[in-house]
Amino acid sequence: MFKYLLLPAALLALSLACSSGSEPAAKPLVAATGITYTDPVSTGWRLVKDPASTPTRLLLNLVGPSGLKTRGVGFNLQLPANLKAGNFTESGFPIRDLGVYELFNSDPYPYDGSVVPGSDPLEPKLLAGGMKAGNLLTVGIFQKDRRLSAKDSGVPLCQIALETASLSGLNAGDPLKGLVITKARYVAEDVGAFDVAPTAEMARKARMVDATVALGTLTAR
């Protein structure tokens, strides 16, 4: 009779031995005080974190594919409810020029090379951005002059700032969902030869090209 009880007894002892240790204490929840961003793994169009970012103001640089020549780019970015776009002092818009695209007329009036491009403080630049309904950020940066060469897109082209709006109810480590690129387009290298008057070629090649922009992950910290 005892030989039949031997195996169950041994299993019971093993079970008690395994459960005798105390369970590891759960980590206490810590209310979020900021955000962090992990860059996407991509070599195409992407938004990457700038080193000057802080826990409450995330700076993201738009970088394109290396070797692709472009003349400008724009995109719409859906923001989570916890975030808002921040303006830059120098532009007054939620977008910063990083100096790659040439945003001014290459030969301002009187068109004889005597005026330095960009020296007129009243000359408008093709750099703009704003917030649309539903917490949607829209930004764009473009070269004005067809006489200027297209630029390699594989460097930081422009920058946006995302700031914390409300982190109520979030704990450190919680993911922030809802950051989505809804549309992105760029101006291709070949937009037609420069002409003082619009031409059919210029109109035909003026269409922007659709792009897919990779995003990283947002996490509360």
Side-chain angles (χ1 to χ4, degrees), residues 83-169:
L83 301 181
K84 62 182 181 180
N87 288 340
F88 293 96
T89 303
E90 65 270 25
S91 67
F93 297 118
I95 180 173
R96 168 181 280 166
D97 172 29
L98 295 181
V100 177
Y101 293 128
E102 298 176 80
L103 308 182
F104 294 102
N105 188 334
S106 65
D107 186 14
Y109 181 83
Y111 316 125
D112 58 5
S114 63
V115 178
V116 177
S119 60
D120 181 358
L122 298 181
E123 181 184 356
K125 295 190 295 185
L126 295 183
L127 169 77
M131 292 300 298
K132 302 178 73 173
N135 212 24
L136 182 70
L137 170 65
T138 181
V139 295
I141 181 171
F142 306 96
Q143 287 193 173
K144 179 185 295 185
D145 200 328
R146 291 169 183 257
R147 291 169 290 188
L148 296 169
S149 63
K151 309 305 176 190
D152 192 315
S153 303
V155 293
L157 301 170
C158 63
Q159 186 178 92
I160 61 171
L162 304 184
E163 300 176 346
T164 55
S166 173
L167 299 177
S168 177

Side-chain angles (χ1 to χ4, degrees), residues 179-200:
L179 189 69
V180 179
I181 292 283
T182 61
K183 180 183 292 186
R185 290 178 176 173
Y186 67 87
V187 179
E189 177 179 11
D190 183 7
V191 289
F194 172 78
D195 197 303
V196 293
T199 66

